[in-house]
Amino acid sequence: KAGVTQTPRYLIKTRGQQVTLSCSPISGHRSVSWYQQTPGQGLQFLFEYFSETQRNKGNFPGRFSGRQFSNSRSEMNVSTLELGDSALYLCASSTGSNYGYTFGSGTRLTVV
Amino acid sequence: QKEVEQNSGPLSVPEGAIASLNCTYSDRVSQSFFWYRQYSGKSPELIMSIYSNGDKEDGRFTAQLNKASQYVSLLIRDSQPSDSATYLCAVNGGYSSASKIIFGSGTRLSIRP
């Protein structure tokens, strides 16, 4: 059974640019959640999509957005990148948060 | 107040001993509780889930839940060097499976040979 697939694994972007990250969940999982992980802040919840609808949202600025497609694949976009956006971005899929999440390997974003 | 709190450590435990990791949470309506293990440079991996008061055992791991005290713990028996990692406590922040999962900042565990 394939796991959660995130692409790309590494990205280097310049301040002011935008970036799109992709996540393919485990087959059959309709919920996809995104987290930002930094050494100082730990795992911070960005948003969750379920059946193409944003169901939960964290406390991040509007520069962070996402969407989910009919095949449950999800994308996350960050516009006008700032140095502080450098982090590991993790995608997780589940059948429901009562059962916990399975994480992908993450995308390491570096903003220079 | 943070929603899920853990001691950041590092917690150093001799090989073969019991490692005890603790977590408190603030939302009384939380129903589902999880422990994740994260090795350096890797993504978190679910190792235990617990839903009702009491203990739940899985191999060398035991999760303990006390909803009245809003407290979750993880015991690792016969600690091995391979258990050295950061352990994240996570809580379903509501009644239903539609609620988001909130993570603590993690406790770094080091098993010394």
Side-chain angles (χ1 to χ4, degrees):
Chain A
K1 186 175 177 180
V4 180
T5 303
Q6 288 189 250
T7 56
R9 290 294 308 276
Y10 302 94
L11 266 178
I12 300 176
K13 289 287 188 178
T14 305
R15 264 186 310 174
Q17 287 187 313
Q18 76 164 23
V19 67
T20 299
L21 313 181
S22 179
C23 172
S24 292
I26 291 172
S27 178
H29 285 192
R30 294 162 66 191
S31 168
V32 174
S33 297
W34 289 88
Y35 287 82
Q36 180 196 67
Q37 188 173 37
T38 58
Q41 298 296 317
L43 269 166
Q44 300 290 310
F45 176 77
L46 281 154
F47 28 66
E48 183 220 359
Y49 286 87
F50 183 87
S51 294
E52 302 178 67
T53 301
Q54 188 180 84
R55 190 161 66 173
N56 287 295
K57 189 176 188 306
N59 298 321
F60 278 81
R63 300 186 296 107
F64 292 81
S65 63
R67 58 178 176 168
Q68 187 180 33
F69 302 95
S70 58
N71 62 357
S72 293
R73 190 177 71 86
S74 178
E75 287 183 346
M76 190 192 99
N77 185 76
V78 188
S79 62
T80 320
L81 283 165
E82 300 176 359
L83 295 178
D85 296 333
S86 295
L88 178 66
Y89 289 88
L90 290 161
C91 165
S93 80
S94 72
T95 55
S97 58
N98 281 347
Y99 306 103
Y101 294 160
T102 301
F103 282 91
S105 299
T107 294
R108 172 80 57 188
L109 172 65
T110 302
V111 182
V112 298
Chain B
Q1 182 192 5
K2 281 190 176 178
E3 295 177 89
V4 181
E5 295 211 49
Q6 297 181 254
N7 188 322
S8 61
L11 175 65
S12 181
V13 173
E15 185 174 354
I18 295 175
S20 178
L21 305 161
N22 305 313
C23 169
T24 57
Y25 61 95
S26 60
D27 194 342
R28 286 193 168 274
V29 304
S30 298
Q31 298 294 313
S32 309
F33 307 86
F34 310 97
W35 284 98
Y36 283 80
R37 177 177 63 199
Q38 186 173 25
Y39 292 114
S40 180
K42 300 293 186 181
S43 58
E45 172 195 13
L46 179 64
I47 55 172
M48 289 289 286
S49 56
I50 187 166
Y51 304 98
S52 52
N53 281 329
D55 295 1
K56 179 181 177 183
E57 188 175 314
D58 184 0
R60 295 186 296 112
F61 298 98
T62 299
Q64 300 175 317
L65 174 61
N66 183 326
K67 289 186 179 180
S69 301
Q70 295 174 243
Y71 179 90
V72 194
S73 65
L74 179 71
L75 301 177
I76 306 174
R77 290 182 301 281
D78 188 24
S79 296
Q80 302 297 310
S82 60
D83 295 326
S84 296
T86 296
Y87 288 80
L88 301 165
C89 174
V91 176
N92 180 340
Y95 283 114
S96 76
S97 64
S99 304
K100 65 186 180 186
I101 292 181
I102 302 160
F103 285 81
S105 55
T107 298
R108 192 154 49 96
L109 175 65
S110 175
I111 307 300
R112 56 181 192 271

